[in-house]
């Protein structure tokens, strides 16, 4: 066997050899935090980033005698996700208690769904970078509650091993989660890592289009566990899998799958057995052993007695079905054609996270090229400077459309418009307010402009001579001086007219 490399002392089989000898099987479990205003079973807020343990109550702290109350908005989000994934929606289902001890979960059980998930048996047609698509089967999507967040101090890894202090924040405890589990993904061969990444990307885009989650992998509102196994080519029985937990970026999904394929390939090729276990993902690009996997029996699941079963009516499901948007990648393709954009321009917009913002700006009346230019250039730059996502900038598509309208009406030059946008970003109000408050509007008052022109002409007699003599290009210098004197607020075309006519050239 060809050992490609040793990473952290572990042998990896050359990737080509892995796929020549083995067929990978994948299973992806994605957890998404729903962006409901309140938690799954209580009225506590779910906003990210609050002071620790300020968004808690007896229910989400698991205090004795407290009772859960189901969040209807979370159920509707779960149903919409199920529908968007072409699942069957269970006409009747229940929550279950998953019993285990961990300090991030004060009740000592998690309210989850087990054998009665709300959505089952769907699929997602995942677009691949080469333009083809791959159908990923969806086994189920179920509801559960998130746990609190532990922060371990004093160890190099941030993990509990070797930590001297552990801090607990229960703000996240009880935040609604949906877990989406694929059927085994087979037959991908060498494309397995790429397909895993494409699936999570597509799922993220779909959930964002549904508006059910902010799907920030970096903030943990979307997390992926990647199950990987290998079987000798030509055999049917699945190999033993590992489950790499909490992979927290799209790139990492690809890296984790590829690494596990190479690691397991080396294990199998040397005649050993893969150990069924969970594994940790490391940003440096490898996985390490976690715990050997519990079985369902260890959790002593039983139906949650404190919550009524859920029985969504067909009317509700039909109403929610009407709210399922066009698949985001099909929508992008359609928009690209409508706007006549090249693949390259479109890719830049997609990568900048600008597509939906541009579309919304156009819906507020802006021409698509202007909307594209604002979001794709100036605002992308502002987002980079502020180190936030484009859609987190404190300016809305409606406001950008209003700025564009002011430019179109000739009230702002592009340069002045950028200052107006800066004012909006700084929280100074609506575009028109900023324009007025900052005194940025283009000056149309001929008397004012004429005075500035006269001044500039008087200060530059030699240039005036040239213009009078027929060198019309020289007018640019005077126009420039007037624009400077008026801080860019004069209408440059009008200034030019006045300069030329003063020098007898019109
Ligand atoms: P667990 O509770 O152990 O996480 P789940 O059923 O929730 O199990 O998820 C297991 C995931 O792994 C599913 O996506 C499933 O399709 C997939 N899977 C099951 N068996 C294998 C296997 N041998 N190799 C790879 N993936 C598998
Ligand atoms: Mg699981
Ligand atoms: Zn609470």
């Amino acid at each position: 066997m060809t050992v490609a490399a040793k990473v952290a002392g572990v042998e990896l089989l050359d990737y080509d050899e892995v796929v020549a000898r083995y067929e990978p099987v994948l299973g992806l479990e994605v957890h998404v935090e729903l962006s409901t205003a309140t938690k799954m079973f209580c009225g506590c807020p779910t906003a990210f980033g609050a002071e620790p343990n300020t968004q808690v109550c007896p229910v989400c702290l698991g205090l004795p005698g407290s009772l859960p109350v189901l969040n209807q908005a979370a159920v509707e989000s779960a149903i919409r996700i199920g529908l968007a994934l072409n699942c069957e929606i269970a006409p009747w289902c229940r929550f279950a208690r998953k019993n285990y001890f961990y300090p991030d979960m004060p009740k000592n059980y998690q309210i989850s769904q087990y054998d009665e998930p709300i959505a089952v048996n769907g699929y997602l047609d995942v677009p691949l970078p080469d333009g083809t698509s791959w159908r990923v089967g969806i086994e189920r999507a179920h509801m559960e509650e998130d746990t609190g967040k532990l922060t371990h101090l004093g160890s190099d890894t941030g993990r509990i091993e070797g930590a001297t202090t552990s801090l607990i924040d229960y703000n996240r405890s009880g935040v609604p989660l949906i877990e989406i589990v694929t059927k085994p993904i087979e037959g991908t061969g060498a494309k397995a890592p790429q397909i895993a990444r494409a699936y999570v990307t597509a799922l993220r885009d779909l959930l964002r289009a549904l508006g059910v989650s902010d799907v920030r992998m970096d903030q943990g509102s979307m997390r992926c566990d990647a199950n990987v196994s290998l079987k000798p080519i030509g055999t049917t029985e699945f190999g033993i899998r590992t489950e790499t937990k909490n992979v927290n970026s799209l790139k990492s999904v690809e890296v984790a799958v590829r690494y596990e394929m190479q690691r397991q390939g080396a294990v199998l090729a040397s005649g050993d057995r893969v150990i069924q276990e969970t594994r940790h993902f490391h940003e440096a690009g490898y996985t390490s052993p976690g715990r050997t996997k519990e079985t369902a029996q260890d959790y002593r699941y039983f139906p949650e007695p404190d919550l009524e079963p859920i029985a969504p009516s067909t009317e509700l499901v039909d109403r929610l079905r009407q709210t399922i948007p066009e698949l985001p990648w099909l929508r992008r393709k359609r928009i690209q054609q409508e706007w006549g954009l090249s693949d390259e321009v479109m890719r830049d917009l997609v990568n900048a996270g600008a597509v939906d913002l541009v579309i919304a700006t156009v819906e507020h009346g802006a021409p698509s090229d202007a909307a594209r230019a604002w979001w794709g250039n100036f605002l992308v730059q502002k987002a980079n400077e502020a180190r936030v996502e484009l859609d987190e900038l404190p300016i809305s598509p409606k406001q950008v459309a209003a700025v564009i309208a002011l430019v179109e009406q000739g009230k702002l030059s592009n340069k002045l418009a950028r200052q107006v946008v800066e004012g909006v970003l700084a929280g100074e109000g609506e575009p028109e307010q900023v324009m007025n408050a900052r005194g940025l509007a283009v000056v149309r008052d001929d008397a004012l402009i004429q005075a500035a022109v006269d001044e500039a002409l008087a200060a530059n007699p030699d240039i005036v001579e040239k213009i009078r003599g027929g060198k019309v290009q020289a007018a640019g210098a005077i126009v420039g001086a007037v624009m400077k004197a008026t801080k860019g607020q004069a209408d440059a075309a009008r200034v030019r007219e006045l300069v030329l006519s003063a020098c007898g050239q019109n």
Side-chain angles (χ1 to χ4, degrees):
M1 84 179 185
T2 321
V3 172
K6 277 195 173 188
V7 178
V10 175
E11 288 186 348
L12 300 183
L13 189 61
D14 176 71
Y15 191 73
D16 290 338
E17 195 172 339
V18 174
V19 296
R21 296 175 62 171
Y22 303 103
E23 174 62 35
V25 176
L26 307 179
L28 298 167
E29 301 169 60
V30 172
H31 285 90
V32 259
E33 272 180 4
L34 296 179
S35 51
T36 50
T38 57
K39 293 186 181 181
M40 193 75 183
F41 303 115
C42 63
C44 291
T46 56
F48 181 81
E51 279 290 298
N53 299 308
T54 54
Q55 298 175 344
V56 291
C57 75
V59 172
C60 55
L61 287 174
L63 300 189
S66 62
L67 285 172
V69 176
L70 183 58
N71 181 339
Q72 189 60 32
V75 175
E76 293 190 3
S77 290
I79 294 174
R80 292 179 69 232
I81 291 170
L83 291 172
L85 293 170
N86 304 292
C87 288
E88 299 152 27
I89 304 303
W92 192 92
C93 65
R94 281 183 298 191
F95 283 97
R97 280 193 190 178
K98 182 180 184 181
N99 298 280
Y100 66 99
F101 166 78
Y102 211 65
D104 62 7
M105 198 181 57
K107 294 195 299 295
N108 283 352
Y109 60 84
Q110 180 191 31
I111 304 180
S112 179
Q113 289 194 294
Y114 175 50
D115 49 354
E116 298 167 298
I118 187 137
V120 293
N121 194 26
Y123 62 87
L124 183 62
D125 286 325
V126 174
L128 302 183
D130 65 6
T132 63
S133 76
W134 187 276
R135 178 164 292 192
V136 171
I138 304 294
E139 190 176 295
R140 64 176 195 270
H142 72 245
M143 296 178 280
E144 57 188 39
E145 56 176 337
D146 211 343
T147 57
K149 186 171 168 46
L150 287 167
T151 304
H152 304 294
L153 304 178
S155 66
D156 300 340
T157 55
R159 298 190 193 283
I160 195 166
E161 295 82 12
T164 52
T165 308
S166 293
L167 304 171
I168 310 181
D169 175 8
Y170 288 118
N171 285 352
R172 200 178 67 184
S173 169
V175 167
L177 282 184
I178 304 293
E179 179 175 347
I180 299 157
V181 183
T182 68
K183 294 178 181 173
I185 304 170
E186 299 177 73
T188 60
K191 281 192 191 170
Q194 193 200 341
I195 286 174
R197 178 186 185 152
Y199 165 73
V200 180
T201 307
L203 189 58
R204 182 198 61 175
D205 291 355
L206 178 59
L207 294 168
R208 187 182 283 149
L210 283 165
V212 292
S213 169
D214 62 5
V215 284
R216 293 284 301 267
M217 291 188 89
D218 57 330
Q219 292 183 354
S221 61
M222 178 166 175
R223 319 192 271 272
C224 177
D225 302 339
N227 294 267
V228 178
S229 69
L230 296 179
K231 58 178 185 174
I233 286 196
T235 63
T236 50
E237 202 183 320
F238 288 174
I240 296 168
R241 68 181 156 116
T242 61
E243 180 179 353
T244 303
K245 305 291 280 184
N246 293 327
V247 187
N248 64 357
S249 76
L250 298 172
K251 175 92 183 113
S252 298
V253 172
E254 183 173 349
V255 172
V257 168
R258 191 181 166 98
Y259 177 88
E260 270 306 289
M261 286 171 64
Q262 290 190 267
R263 188 190 66 81
Q264 293 180 16
V267 170
L268 295 175
S270 71
D272 284 343
R273 284 166 63 88
V274 172
I275 299 170
Q276 174 150 7
E277 62 189 355
T278 64
R279 296 182 68 88
H280 301 300
F281 181 72
H282 300 264
E283 293 306 322
Y286 66 97
T287 69
S288 64
R291 54 191 155 80
T292 50
K293 188 78 186 162
E294 305 77 4
T295 62
Q297 284 180 22
D298 297 327
Y299 291 121
R300 300 280 174 229
Y301 282 102
F302 64 86
E304 167 59 59
D306 289 341
L307 287 164
E308 276 183 74
I310 304 163
S313 66
T314 40
E315 292 76 44
L316 175 66
V317 175
D318 286 344
R319 178 171 69 71
L320 294 174
R321 202 186 299 277
Q322 304 306 313
T323 70
I324 305 305
E326 187 180 9
L327 288 171
W329 43 96
L330 298 184
R331 180 172 186 239
R332 266 178 230 146
K333 205 172 254 172
R334 180 171 60 73
I335 294 282
Q336 182 181 355
Q337 277 166 1
E338 276 176 29
W339 294 353
L341 305 181
S342 69
D343 288 349
E344 204 184 350
V345 168
M346 194 63 192
R347 198 173 327 114
D348 287 346
L349 284 180
V350 170
N351 290 342
V355 176
D356 291 340
L357 296 163
V358 173
I359 293 171
T361 306
V362 170
E363 282 167 4
H364 280 104
S368 67
D369 50 351
R372 216 155 32 77
W374 276 101
W375 288 107
N377 303 321
F378 188 68
L379 288 165
V380 161
Q381 197 186 314
K382 290 285 150 196
N384 288 341
E385 282 168 23
R387 293 174 189 281
V388 296
E389 300 288 321
L390 198 54
D391 63 2
E392 293 173 310
L393 283 175
I395 188 166
S396 65
K398 189 176 173 196
Q399 289 170 321
V400 173
V403 172
I404 293 170
L406 290 170
V407 175
E408 287 192 317
Q409 294 156 17
K411 292 188 184 158
L412 288 175
S413 65
N414 275 318
K415 194 168 160 209
L416 294 168
R418 284 196 282 275
Q419 294 181 44
V420 169
V421 168
E422 271 166 358
V424 174
L425 291 173
E428 293 169 24
E430 293 300 315
E432 187 129 20
Q433 277 173 295
V434 176
M435 177 177 82
N436 294 333
R438 288 196 178 193
L440 291 173
V442 168
V443 174
R444 298 217 160 269
D445 183 333
D446 256 8
L448 275 179
I449 299 177
Q450 186 68 60
V453 168
D454 290 345
E455 213 167 292
L457 291 173
N460 296 286
D462 44 335
I463 300 180
V464 172
E465 266 323 296
K466 283 188 192 158
I467 304 173
R468 284 192 187 285
K471 285 197 72 181
V472 179
Q473 325 74 290
I478 305 282
V479 174
V482 173
M483 294 307 289
K484 200 168 169 196
T486 58
K487 300 203 195 73
Q489 281 172 257
D491 177 352
R494 182 69 188 136
V495 172
R496 191 178 164 80
E497 277 172 23
L498 293 175
V499 170
L500 291 179
S501 93
C503 301
Q505 293 290 344
N506 48 351

